[in-house]
Amino acid sequence: MDDVFNVTYITLGGYAEMGKYRYFYFCIMFTVYILTICFNCTIVYLISIHKNLHEPMYIFIAALLLNSIVYNTAMYPKLLSDFLSEKQIISYSTCLFQYFVYYTLSATDFFLLSAMSYDRYVAICKPLRYPTIMRNSTVRVMLLLAWLVPACEMAISVTLVTMSKLCHFTFTAFFCNNSVYRLFCESSGALAVFDVLALLNMALFPLLFILFTYTRILIISYRSGRNVRKKAAQTCLPHLIVLFCFSSLCAYDVIIIQLGSNLHFMMTLQAFFYYPLLNPVIYGLKVKEISKHLKKLFFQAKVM
């Protein structure tokens, strides 16, 4: 505690597990950060300049990648600086900001993946009604809700966290997620109840909705001809891969407080190493129209 400025500082103890390898991890993380920003920005740029990509499916993909850009921009600079610092500390207010950004943008990913699944459901199961259902106004409302609802819920969560008294000022983590609960003198009943409700609203219900829509798509595709099955596979497989990986990381984060520090260390690195690069790679290679424009872009760059 800094008595002069009345600022509370938290020590991030997760870096102690890296020992002498922290510079090695810094190089890897810095490379991943640069590649992630470049890959995501490239695909968002392609979607923005090509009119044939100004369709709901591609708009949702652009929103998902833009969400990843914001997430990485908010999280990586502090993470990278801590790799090079002798002592890894963070002010409690900054820690709460990280907590807010981390869970808000993670929940937004679930909402955007839900919007994608609904878009694919309408396109494959109700193709004749697609233009009337997925209008521009509908897409704008879905995008607004995807960012607004998680932000409002997490604002309430942060408010409840600030009401909890701190008795500890060190926890084993690399950044501020639900590990901050270890800092409290005693568990908060109100926060625990709200976290369960938030988990249902921002993760479980969207996940169940996604599984329902893709189940319907699978049933309709199975009953239809070969062309419909091929279209469903081409457009839905990238979303399902991203959903599986993202859901696995979220499931880990929910139970993180019960895990040992070594497993915590490895899984956190998995989250920061692989997932940020997964979205642009999957959508860039597996979505036909995006892949086509991506190849043209690299061909032009090679010629120049």
Side-chain angles (χ1 to χ4, degrees):
M1 176 78 72
D2 190 324
D3 294 327
V4 177
F5 298 102
N6 196 28
V7 177
T8 301
Y9 288 98
I10 307 299
T11 300
L12 303 173
Y15 294 86
E17 299 177 26
M18 294 183 300
K20 61 183 180 180
Y21 298 106
R22 60 178 177 169
Y23 297 107
F24 172 72
Y25 287 120
F26 169 83
C27 293
I28 296 178
M29 295 294 287
F30 181 74
T31 303
V32 170
Y33 174 56
I34 297 300
L35 291 176
T36 300
I37 297 297
C38 291
F39 289 177
N40 281 294
C41 287
T42 299
I43 296 180
V44 171
Y45 169 75
L46 290 176
I47 293 174
S48 65
I49 65 171
H50 293 289
K51 291 185 177 180
N52 69 319
L53 299 182
H54 294 177
E55 298 179 5
M57 182 180 78
Y58 304 111
I59 292 173
F60 290 134
I61 290 176
L64 188 69
L65 300 183
L66 182 62
N67 198 59
S68 180
I69 293 171
V70 175
Y71 170 84
N72 288 304
T73 302
M75 301 295 291
Y76 261 89
K78 171 61 178 170
L79 194 70
L80 291 172
S81 67
D82 283 337
F83 276 102
L84 302 179
S85 302
E86 291 297 325
K87 190 174 183 181
Q88 294 78 28
I89 61 173
I90 185 172
S91 68
Y92 188 50
S93 58
T94 304
C95 185
L96 293 182
F97 175 74
Q98 273 194 348
Y99 172 86
F100 173 81
V101 170
Y102 178 68
Y103 287 109
T104 296
L105 298 183
S106 296
T108 297
D109 272 6
F110 264 121
F111 278 76
L112 291 173
L113 289 170
S114 299
M116 289 181 187
S117 69
Y118 180 70
D119 173 71
R120 292 300 84 203
Y121 166 73
V122 177
I124 295 172
C125 301
K126 302 179 181 180
L128 298 179
R129 297 179 57 191
Y130 183 82
T132 58
I133 296 177
M134 297 303 298
R135 294 175 296 181
N136 290 335
S137 58
T138 304
V139 173
R140 284 194 291 268
V141 169
M142 295 172 77
L143 290 175
L144 180 63
L145 291 176
W147 275 296
L148 188 60
V149 172
C152 291
E153 292 205 27
M154 286 310 304
I156 298 174
S157 179
V158 170
T159 302
L160 293 174
V161 168
T162 58
M163 296 170 62
S164 300
K165 184 179 179 181
L166 300 181
C167 283
H168 310 282
F169 301 93
T170 301
F171 63 90
T172 305
F174 297 94
F175 61 96
C176 297
N177 53 3
N178 61 10
S179 295
V180 299
Y181 296 170
R182 296 172 180 168
L183 302 175
F184 301 158
C185 299
E186 56 184 18
S187 58
S188 169
L191 182 59
V193 171
F194 182 82
D195 281 350
V196 172
L197 294 176
L199 179 64
L200 292 174
N201 292 335
M202 297 193 298
L204 186 58
F205 290 159
L207 180 59
L208 291 176
F209 176 78
I210 293 170
L211 294 176
F212 169 77
T213 55
Y214 281 122
T215 300
R216 291 295 301 164
I217 291 173
L218 181 63
I219 293 173
I220 296 296
S221 301
Y222 180 77
R223 294 174 179 174
S224 304
R226 183 177 180 181
N227 290 336
V228 175
R229 289 196 294 270
K230 184 178 180 180
K231 178 184 176 182
Q234 288 178 342
T235 60
C236 295
L237 185 60
H239 304 318
L240 288 173
I241 294 174
V242 171
L243 174 66
F244 174 78
C245 295
F246 182 63
S247 299
S248 299
L249 291 174
C250 289
Y252 156 74
D253 189 78
V254 171
I255 60 174
I256 186 177
I257 205 115
Q258 303 296 330
L259 299 177
S261 60
N262 290 332
L263 185 55
H264 173 209
F265 172 69
M266 290 186 290
M267 288 300 294
T268 301
L269 290 182
Q270 299 290 318
F272 276 98
F273 281 177
Y274 303 129
Y275 183 71
L277 282 173
L278 179 67
N279 288 358
V281 171
I282 291 297
Y283 290 121
L285 297 178
K286 293 296 183 180
V287 178
K288 185 177 180 181
E289 290 299 320
I290 295 178
S291 178
K292 185 194 306 182
H293 290 297
L294 197 58
K295 290 176 182 177
K296 288 182 180 179
L297 179 66
F298 281 114
F299 178 76
Q300 292 173 356
K302 188 176 181 180
V303 171
M304 294 175 62

